[in-house]
Amino acid sequence: MNMAADGLSVEKVHVWRGDRHVLRGVSLSLGPRQLLHVSGPNGTGKTTLLRVVCGLLRPEQGQVSWRGHSISSARSEYQATLAYASHEPALKGDLTALENLRFAVGLKRRVTADELRSALQRTGVAACADLPARVLSAGQRRRVAMARVLAMSASLWLLDEPFTNLDAAGSDVMSSLLQSHVAGGGSALVVAHHELTVECDMRRMELA
Amino acid sequence: MWTWFYKLASPPYVYAAAAALAPWFLGLAAITVGYGLVDGLVYAPPDYQQGDAFRIIYVHAPSAWLSLFAYTSMALAGAIALVWRIKMGHAVAAASAPIGASFTVLALVTGSLWGRPMWGTYWAWDPRLTSELILLFLYVGVMSLRSAFEDPSRGDRAAALLGIVGLVNVPIIHYSVTWWNSLHQGATVAKLGKPPMPGSMLWPLLSMLLGFMLFYGAVLCMRLRGEVLNRERQAKWVREAIKS
Amino acid sequence: MRVGAFEAFGLVVRRELCLSFRRPDQLLQPLVFFLIVTTLFPLGLSLQLSLLRDMAPGVLWVAALLSSLLSLDSLFKSDADDGTLEQLALCGQGLTVIVVAKTFAHWLVTGAALVLVSPVVGTALGIPGAAFATMLLSLGLGTLTLSWLGAIGAGLTVGLKRGNVLLSLIVLPLAMPLLIFGAGATDRAISGTSAVGALYFLAALCVFTCTLAPFAATVALRITLE
């Protein structure tokens, strides 16, 4: 049993990309009601780390475990409990914002249109619900992607640069969502360049 | 129990073992191929139907056999590498593919040279040669896929998977081509390599077969050394090996 | 609260169909390509209808293979480009369910659609109406099998910038048995002999491929998703 038996634990993870040694023995732990802010210059493997943590990328060495179990032993069950937002908003331009959410969230849990609309409401894009995603602005798409994370009601949030393209109001919304997620017992791993202003048990990790 | 296996598959060990084995393979190949060539081309009696033209079988049949053998070893090495994450398996697969493809080309060229006096044309869509051609396409696919990836480890794994899929398909392809041929041509066309063969013709053929396999082993060892060096160029032991 | 595999399958199929019907032009392109290729052969050969009838099964099948292959490139590509493939991979359902659903939906909008227009093409090529049943059945089995082979190829090439030529290069050799038995079955039906043997082989290939290919395609996709 490792230290964070009730949360996420990453132990001495190594990843090579060709000749590049991208992650050199990264370790971290993240429990409930905690936020971990990962920062660092470009090319230090922040996105790679997130992909390792969510189980998309298998590290050459090292181990990732969630609630005491290695994530490769029960990958689907683990992935059902997490919500990942990549630096692309991952929306289909031909589908409306609501349909995008319905197909993405609907695979994780049974969800009604009202729940999805209220998630869009909380991120401030309720008016865009029935517009095709291709007509939305970059900031609106980011907010829709955030609504997707919210609607998944996952315990672990993995967010890659969630503040990109957001205006000041959007950043505030984002920060308060993070705050209430963590306050409600969730964990969040956030990759971001700049300082986070979230009032919670926040630690910071610098990748170099 | 697995530790010896992983030690066996460690790059410096593979590099040294390949270096030690290559001269033996090469020497034995020279002896068996030498005997096979002299006995097959000079002393074996001419075929009563095909005359001296049949002698090309001493090159054709072993190359055709080796083309399949090399594909199978490539696919199996890739499968081992994919399942147990043994990187040297990918090196063996990558070293094996071009050799196998060369044997395939050799089998195609000798087959169509043989076809010229037999069928009056270089290419008569003989089922074995057609299967051989498709096998060449499979080789080309695997090799192009491996080199298409910027990240070599992904290219390795993609090529390994395609090799396995191809291996499963080889018998299906061969069977379907034979079926297609029987549908369109009937059995009048002379087939390459009729089974009943007198010993005076057979012994040199078997010797050539063994010689070709040894030759494949020798070239595989040499190419494997190159592959290992290239893959491990960042490792400390490679820098030391190059310096000394 | 978790969603079952069948429900997830249905949801992904609906998503794919929804996306396809929002872009009707892309839905029609493979079919038009099929018609164009079959038009090329009579123009390039001669107008002797008897000769054309002899060539018809081969022409029909080559055109069907090429046009299905043309659309296979997009099976995972557009989802990989906009990041939705990662979301699908992380939905907690196991990637195989997603791969099966996407491939099946792809077959519905390309393979099955191609089977539906094949009587028109068959008539133009002089295939008698008596052979239509065999032609439709063989094309249905063949395109479904091809979709599965193509899913492996599409999974392997999805991360590559210019993967579409490579996709054809690796899938076409694997598809040759389909061409042989499919065109063979149609040929026999035209000449009035029994096509049952060839159809059995096609059906066996289809079952075999549908059983194993989903796992191969999942592994392929995982390799390139990394």
Side-chain angles (χ1 to χ4, degrees), chain C:
Chain C
M1 279 304 269
R2 272 194 72 184
V3 180
F6 283 106
E7 217 173 319
F9 173 86
L11 199 64
V12 176
V13 170
R14 258 193 302 169
R15 169 187 188 267
E16 296 299 307
L17 295 182
C18 192
L19 280 168
S20 297
F21 287 106
R22 296 272 158 94
R23 294 267 166 175
D25 49 327
Q26 282 179 16
L27 202 61
L28 287 175
Q29 276 167 12
L31 296 180
V32 176
F33 183 82
F34 181 51
L35 294 175
I36 291 177
V37 172
T38 40
T39 315
L40 289 180
F41 281 94
L43 292 178
L45 294 163
S46 71
L47 245 181
Q48 273 182 290
L49 278 177
S50 62
L51 181 72
L52 199 60
R53 198 171 300 141
D54 286 345
M55 309 270 301
V59 170
L60 187 80
W61 265 84
V62 169
L65 283 186
L66 291 180
S67 57
S68 316
L69 208 58
L70 192 72
S71 57
L72 269 170
D73 181 44
S74 62
L75 180 55
F76 302 120
K77 192 118 194 147
S78 69
D79 282 353
D81 288 346
D82 59 20
T84 44
L85 190 62
E86 284 180 347
Q87 292 294 331
L88 289 175
L90 292 174
C91 71
Q93 291 293 343
L95 197 50
T96 310
V97 177
I98 309 292
V99 169
V100 171
K102 280 186 73 79
T103 311
F104 178 68
H106 174 267
W107 177 74
L108 280 183
V109 294
T110 59
L114 209 123
V115 172
L116 289 181
V117 299
S118 66
V120 179
V121 176
T123 311
L125 291 172
I127 295 179
F132 273 13
T134 307
M135 179 187 77
L136 292 174
L137 186 58
S138 67
L139 272 178
L141 289 168
T143 48
L144 185 58
T145 318
L146 184 72
S147 285
W148 277 114
L149 292 174
I152 304 176
L156 285 171
T157 54
V158 70
L160 302 172
K161 279 187 200 80
R162 257 170 277 168
N164 51 354
V165 179
L166 191 57
L167 175 68
S168 315
L169 195 73
I170 62 183
V171 173
L172 278 177
L174 302 176
M176 283 181 191
L178 297 178
L179 175 68
I180 289 172
F181 288 121
T186 317
D187 195 40
R188 290 190 160 202
I190 291 173
S191 62
T193 46
S194 166
V196 174
L199 285 178
Y200 274 148
F201 281 121
L202 266 185
L205 276 180
C206 186
V207 171
F208 181 69
T209 316
C210 293
T211 318
L212 291 183
F215 301 104
T218 308
V219 175
L221 210 51
R222 278 210 194 286
I223 290 171
T224 39
L225 258 179
E226 283 199 352

Side-chain angles (χ1 to χ4, degrees), chain A residues 66 117 134 136 193 207-208:
Chain A
W66 171 248
R117 278 186 197 277
R134 86 180 99 83
L136 302 182
H193 275 106
L207 284 182

